[in-house]
Amino acid sequence: MTITLEPWGPVEPLEPALSVRQVLALERVLAGEPEVVAGAGQLDRPVRWVHVAEAADVGVMLSGGEMVLTTGVLLAGDENAQTEYIQSLHRAEAAAVVLGLGRAFPAPPDVMRRAAERCGLPMVVLHRPFPFAELTEEVQSRLVRRKFAAVSLSEAVRTALTGLITAGAPLQLLLDEVAQHAACPVVVTNLAHRVLATAGERSAVDDVLRDWERIARQAGGSEGDGWIRAELGGRGERWGQIMLCGHRGDTAGGRLLADRAAEALVLHRMLGGTSAHTWEEQSAQSLLTDLVSGVVPARQLLPRARAAGLPVNRRTFVPLVVRDGDPAQLERMLRLLGMPGLVAELADGATAVLLSLARDQDAEALAAHFAARLRTESGESRTVVAAAAPRIVWDDVSAGLREAQHVADAVADSSAALDLPAVVRLKDVHLRGLVRLLRDDPRVQSFAERELDGLLCAAGDDLLAVLRTYLATGRNKSRTAQLHHVSRPALYRRLEAIEGRLGVDLDDFEQAASVHIALLAHDAQQG
């Protein structure tokens, strides 16, 4: 059903939690030596209640789902009455009929058995005397306890999810709560079956996502297999669904849980001003962040990538990182160019873009085309698009994204001073890239501190800026003076002060190179 914008509705009537098969397996029933003589293929019918009834027209007193107990005392000797009794139960959609053998019927009556078989109505006979009151008491108490447990579950889930929403919790925390109650993977998708979010034990979720396309369209429609769905939507518009995947509890309880979860997600979206599209962004961000970090092996992330809609079979992957790019604009650009891919905002103004191209496409040419169009559309000629070499093996994508991020970081603080191509690669960042790569090495940090010690103080900030420009321009004094708006004599005095503090001769190539490397390392560490 479509969830409306009324956040929490009343608890809906639950289907019974006991089947005919389960009732017959109760210890008290087994004492009566039950035997199924008809309708053996229908023993999974749910039992809503238990009644003792002898009248031939018993069906008029039933509302469906009852297990009817009878001694047949009013039916003995009248085959028409026996047939009508069974047909009446069938018309009333009774769950089963249980006949206690004794004085009325010392053996299962063929007329009733044949009628029950024709109707598909489970018919059970009890070979030993059995007090019906014990059976009704046992079943009724179990049904009441289970219905109470279901209502308690509903209230517990409602309270927990409402508390999370009130506290402004993100979508993931809501789904984690649902997965904990459901004890199975939980998946949220859009109408195209693209996975927006998941929760549950990671290995179990990966098993579900590994063949998601087939599962979502085929097995996902069968609640009998523990796949329970509730649609997401409001104001007459459907925009997704939440699925409990492989729920092992009662179907009715699972359906209630799914409905409660769906109501919470709709409320979360409404109050948070988010959309299904925003959830797609969060899904891509989680996936690409995990790929960049390398904490989770790329192979384990493959099911998530496939379920998120990224083509992964026989593809060429192009890892990109865009500095100061608008993720929404990048997504629009991919759609405009017809390039399948994922976009996710990383830290420090960087946005990762993972393109998935057909093997016969020119990956480098398409990356250059993407960068050129991005500069044109954004109106920013200095937009930096860093790229790693194309990968044809999924396991190499993580390293590719880290390489692209490394390249983007290497030019982050100096793009104005460098003549960069539209797509910047590792070979374009030269020494700066190497220093960025080694910036966390304690030996490099110690080297930078030692070489620049005379300028690493508040009084040396202006001189450090002059030194940075002087070295970045290839020790061009005229250009450095121009950029710092000082005269040539004033610049000479500052360069002499720098040399004095550092104890170096900047006209000596090796000493200037040493200072330059130290300055690059210092800037990389600060960045």
Side-chain angles (χ1 to χ4, degrees), residues 22 26 68 87 112 125 175 251 421 473:
Q22 290 172 319
L26 296 177
V68 177
Q87 291 177 345
M112 293 181 68
V125 295
L175 294 181
T251 299
T473 57

Side-chain angles (χ1 to χ4, degrees), residues 77-145:
D78 189 340
E79 293 186 351
N80 289 334
Q82 295 171 23
T83 301
E84 175 55 30
Y85 186 86
I86 295 297
Q87 291 177 345
S88 178
L89 293 178
H90 172 62
R91 289 192 297 269
E93 299 182 349
V97 58
V98 178
L99 174 64
L101 300 182
R103 289 185 303 172
F105 293 102
D110 286 340
V111 172
M112 293 181 68
R113 182 184 60 78
R114 289 194 298 270
E117 194 65 50
R118 286 194 302 270
C119 295
L121 176 70
M123 179 176 173
V124 182
V125 295
L126 300 175
H127 288 277
R128 293 178 61 86
F130 183 84
F132 286 165
E134 291 187 10
L135 176 57
T136 56
E137 178 185 5
E138 176 79 8
V139 175
Q140 315 298 48
S141 63
R142 285 176 177 265
L143 290 175
V144 169
R145 286 199 302 270

Side-chain angles (χ1 to χ4, degrees), residues 451-452 467 471 502 504 506 511-520:
E451 289 289 299
L452 300 176
L467 176 63
L471 295 174
L502 299 182
V504 299
L506 292 178
Q511 294 183 52
S514 181
V515 171
H516 193 187
I517 292 172
L519 186 57
L520 291 176

Side-chain angles (χ1 to χ4, degrees), residues 49-398:
W49 211 244
V50 178
H51 283 301
V52 179
E54 304 286 358
D57 59 348
V58 62
V60 299
M61 297 181 289
L62 306 179
S63 57
E66 295 88 352
M67 174 177 278
V68 177
L69 313 179
T70 182
T71 63
V73 66
L74 300 181
L75 304 175
D78 189 340
E79 293 186 351
N80 289 334
Q82 295 171 23
T83 301
E84 175 55 30
Y85 186 86
I86 295 297
Q87 291 177 345
S88 178
L89 293 178
H90 172 62
R91 289 192 297 269
E93 299 182 349
V97 58
V98 178
L99 174 64
L101 300 182
R103 289 185 303 172
F105 293 102
D110 286 340
V111 172
M112 293 181 68
R113 182 184 60 78
R114 289 194 298 270
E117 194 65 50
R118 286 194 302 270
C119 295
L121 176 70
M123 179 176 173
V124 182
V125 295
L126 300 175
H127 288 277
R128 293 178 61 86
F130 183 84
F132 286 165
E134 291 187 10
L135 176 57
T136 56
E137 178 185 5
E138 176 79 8
V139 175
Q140 315 298 48
S141 63
R142 285 176 177 265
L143 290 175
V144 169
R145 286 199 302 270
R146 293 196 176 209
K147 288 186 177 181
F148 178 77
V151 173
S152 298
L153 170 65
S154 174
E155 290 303 312
V157 173
R158 172 192 299 189
T159 300
L161 296 182
T162 300
L164 289 173
I165 292 173
T166 303
L171 170 67
Q172 189 61 52
L173 286 185
L174 269 69
L175 294 181
D176 289 343
E177 184 72 22
V178 174
Q180 182 177 355
H181 285 283
C184 69
V186 175
V187 177
V188 177
T189 74
N190 61 14
L191 296 181
H193 301 287
R194 174 173 291 188
V195 174
L196 306 181
T198 63
E201 184 181 349
R202 191 70 261 166
S203 60
V205 172
D206 288 344
D207 287 342
V208 169
L209 298 184
R210 192 162 286 112
D211 196 15
W212 174 252
E213 191 67 20
R214 180 186 63 82
I215 290 175
R217 298 183 183 277
Q218 297 179 14
S222 174
E223 289 192 354
D225 295 330
W227 292 79
I228 301 174
R229 301 190 287 187
E231 293 183 2
L232 303 173
R235 298 174 181 170
E237 177 187 5
R238 292 173 55 243
W239 45 267
Q241 65 181 358
I242 182 171
M243 299 179 64
L244 308 186
C245 306
H247 180 66
R248 297 308 176 196
D250 296 330
T251 299
R255 190 154 48 242
L256 181 147
L257 180 57
D259 286 344
R260 282 287 181 249
E263 292 169 354
L265 296 191
V266 171
L267 184 60
H268 178 271
R269 176 186 174 187
M270 180 178 67
L271 295 180
T274 60
S275 65
H277 180 67
T278 302
W279 288 356
E280 289 184 14
E281 292 176 352
Q282 293 174 357
S283 175
Q285 181 168 0
S286 173
L287 174 60
L288 291 186
T289 300
D290 285 346
L291 277 171
V292 171
S293 69
V295 174
V296 182
R299 184 173 298 275
Q300 294 183 20
L301 298 172
L302 183 59
R304 288 170 59 187
R306 182 182 289 111
L310 184 73
V312 295
N313 294 330
R314 297 187 59 79
R315 307 291 288 187
T316 297
F317 302 101
V318 182
L320 306 174
V321 171
V322 181
R323 297 297 311 185
D324 302 320
D326 178 9
Q329 182 186 32
L330 294 174
E331 285 191 354
R332 288 194 300 271
M333 188 64 60
L334 290 183
R335 289 194 296 269
L336 179 65
L337 299 177
M339 295 182 182
L342 296 177
V343 177
E345 188 173 6
L346 304 177
D348 301 325
T351 302
V353 180
L354 179 60
L355 303 180
S356 174
L357 307 176
R359 290 281 177 87
D360 59 354
Q361 292 180 294
D362 188 334
E364 294 193 2
L366 287 176
H369 180 57
F370 171 80
R373 286 293 299 269
L374 179 61
R375 285 188 173 185
T376 300
E377 295 292 330
S378 65
E380 179 54 65
S381 61
R382 301 305 297 173
T383 298
V384 175
V385 178
R391 263 63 174 175
I392 61 173
V393 177
W394 173 260
D395 288 353
D396 296 337
V397 169
S398 289

Side-chain angles (χ1 to χ4, degrees), residues 450-497:
R450 184 171 62 252
E451 289 289 299
L452 300 176
D453 181 58
L455 297 181
L456 297 181
C457 60
D461 284 349
D462 183 55
L463 295 179
L464 199 63
V466 171
L467 176 63
R468 184 180 293 109
T469 304
Y470 179 63
L471 295 174
T473 57
R475 294 184 294 173
N476 186 320
K477 295 177 181 177
S478 297
R479 180 61 176 157
T480 302
Q482 181 182 11
L483 289 174
H484 282 271
H485 307 290
V486 297
S487 64
R488 290 282 294 271
L491 176 65
Y492 295 156
R493 289 192 295 273
R494 294 185 185 185
L495 291 177
E496 289 174 359

